[in-house]
Amino acid sequence: MGVSAGFAGGRSMTMDTLVRMTRRTGDPAPPRRLAVPERMNLPLGCDAVVMPAGLGSLVLPHLPRVGCVYADDTHWWWIVPSDSDYAMAWPEPARYVPGAVLPEVPRTAPEPLHVPDDVVPYTPPIPLYLALCQAAGTMPAWSTAVTA
């Protein structure tokens, strides 16, 4: 029994053909991640918060501690512990990136902008969140009214 491929002329593909085609494509490449310096420990995993570069420069002076920060032509990437999005809605235009996974085709690879002397790469997520909300002109999600 064949599977119709929708080709003109009514050709069909057998299951064997479909399996061979799948095997030829292989496994997708593993995702590319921000490279944390080897001397650093990741005891809490690794996620990232990415924001426009202009916003990042406004956030930076308001943080008590700055971990690893990477920059490309248009964005800053902040390393935070895994699950730092739990019960937090990061404000636009920032994006929370689980696993610190880079886009498939970045314009340029992010380069280190700041690397702390410490062995832990994290920027504390709550101060980062509050500074980002302030710079973006938004209220933290937990301070908005809840309706029944």
Side-chain angles (χ1 to χ4, degrees):
M1 176 173 170
V3 176
S4 176
F7 295 115
R11 291 183 2 197
S12 63
M13 287 193 256
T14 66
M15 187 57 80
D16 289 337
T17 303
L18 291 172
V19 169
R20 274 194 306 276
M21 287 174 63
T22 302
R23 287 183 182 155
R24 264 189 243 140
T25 60
D27 292 329
R32 291 184 334 134
R33 301 178 191 283
L34 286 172
V36 175
E38 287 184 25
R39 68 176 174 81
M40 298 206 155
N41 298 320
L42 295 169
L44 303 174
C46 182
D47 289 347
V49 176
V50 61
M51 64 186 72
L55 198 55
S57 63
L58 295 174
V59 167
L60 184 64
H62 298 286
L63 296 173
R65 181 191 188 288
V66 178
C68 288
V69 182
Y70 297 82
D72 61 21
D73 293 337
T74 57
H75 293 90
W76 284 18
W77 300 70
W78 305 75
I79 298 295
V80 295
S82 291
D83 300 324
S84 292
D85 62 336
Y86 181 76
M88 271 202 280
W90 289 84
E92 292 288 334
R95 284 182 296 118
Y96 187 83
V97 184
V101 175
L102 294 169
E104 288 183 24
V105 185
R107 292 183 191 122
T108 60
E111 296 289 330
L113 180 71
H114 180 268
V115 177
D117 293 332
D118 198 355
V119 295
V120 179
Y122 307 123
T123 296
I126 296 195
L128 178 61
Y129 176 81
L130 292 172
L132 176 59
C133 285
Q134 181 181 14
T138 62
M139 294 294 291
W142 60 69
S143 64
T144 57
V146 176
T147 58

